[in-house]
Amino acid sequence: MTTPTSSAGDASTSTPSIPTDDRPYSPGLEGIIAAETALGYVDGANGRLLYRGYRIGDLVEHGTYGAVAHLLWTGEWDPTARLTTAPIPPAVMAILRSLPAEAKPMDALRTAVSAWGATQRLDWPPTVEQARALTEFSPSALAAFARLRRGLEPVEPNPELDLVTGFLYQLNGEVPDPGTARALDAYFIVGAEHGLNASTFAARVITSTRSDIASAIAGAIGAMKGPLHGGAPSEVVDQLSQVGSPEHAEEWIRAALDRGERLMGFGHRVYRAYDPRAAALRKVAESMPHKPDWLDLAIKVEDVALRILAERHPERPLKTNVEYYAAPVLQGVGLTPDLFPATFALSRHAGWTAHVLEQAASNRLIRPDARYVGPAERDLPG
Ligand code: ACO
């Protein structure tokens, strides 16, 4: 433990000393309960993920993103609940048009959400209507930016289409086939909620000050942008292309681990068992109409990787994580790798906004303490 330092020349007896602070400190807040939630249950030991008690695999099989968002916001399971994409306010479109084409899609999305907030009346407390409006706005904003940077005009939302189909339509200018839309919808369900991760916590902290929902989600996007959070399914694609063929898998994996590299799409801070989201997305990837040609390779490499990781780390189960099978799904629906993180952020809107509602419903300002480890009280020099 570090304690406040006092300089050797500090002979002053008039200033009170700074007491040692022995309260427990957990770097990264690991193991600290900082909220109560009825939204998501992440069971790392047994590889379970539940949204309001419902298994993620069942939600992917029988639900839609619209129904899952409704479940997270209201607690009610209504399979007919739907979401569409929403028009972009002119002031926000003007800002999207002014962004450089090389801006990162996550930066464009965060900027759009912030600008959207400036165009709305977002009274406290946040409401399901606000959550829905923001969740329906963001796919339009990301699709518009993705077109503008290619010199194309944005596509107006089609209210006949559900949110995920509408997003792909506004991105590509064509209505996707139902199998493709269904695959991305499954990805959105899987990405919708995952407990008190860094971005969700950021959203709850901002909400706890009674700030508005757009500020909370802009902050959450900022938190998710960091490479330790947003994940990198595109790196899975890179590694598989380096492996090249199933016969080379064993040799390539052993050499990569010998170099101290990590296998992308394996291991997780919470899951010690197979990530249930990876299991759900593997099924989706295998039944997609336009599978990437490397999906078979991925399935074969996974077996080899799991065997070698178990051999190298007998003390620590390292299993497949969600990123491994998110990669073929996102690529298979035609997204470019640089859109993967922002698409993940779109899917998390349902969970983030549900946490905003939950925080606001039993709010207490989130204000932890820091242990002071700086100099003891002293006089300015001279
Ligand atoms: N490949 C090889 N070795 C690994 C891997 C991996 N994917 N993951 C962990 N290890 C090893 C570490 O090298 C370490 O070994 P050591 O003790 O000999 O140094 C041991 O397992 C424990 O690793 P930690 O870093 O303590 O595990 P942590 O729980 O902090 O890491 C993480 C989790 C960051 C996801 C890690 O497993 C990893 O880097 N995986 C690869 C990247 C990846 O797939 N990221 C996506 C995660 S899912 C998501 O973010 C949504």
Side-chain angles (χ1 to χ4, degrees), residues 241-274:
S241 77
Q242 288 173 40
V243 174
S245 69
E247 308 79 65
H248 290 129
E250 175 114 17
E251 186 195 341
W252 189 92
I253 290 169
R254 288 193 187 282
L257 293 177
D258 289 344
R259 290 193 298 272
E261 288 174 19
R262 292 189 174 204
L263 301 183
M264 292 298 143
F266 295 90
H268 195 273
R269 176 57 62 83
V270 179
Y271 290 117
R272 293 291 167 260
Y274 200 100

Side-chain angles (χ1 to χ4, degrees), residues 30 194 227-233 235-236 239 253 256-257 260-272 275 277 309 312-313 315-324 344 348:
E30 209 167 337
H194 210 235
L228 295 188
H229 186 358
E235 293 183 47
V236 172
Q239 278 197 346
I253 290 169
L257 293 177
E261 288 174 19
R262 292 189 174 204
L263 301 183
M264 292 298 143
F266 295 90
H268 195 273
R269 176 57 62 83
V270 179
Y271 290 117
R272 293 291 167 260
D275 184 334
R277 302 169 299 170
L309 285 171
R312 298 260 176 142
H313 292 279
E315 77 303 338
R316 181 185 180 87
L318 292 171
K319 305 287 190 203
T320 315
N321 69 45
V322 63
E323 306 286 335
Y324 197 74
F344 179 33
R348 189 53 62 84

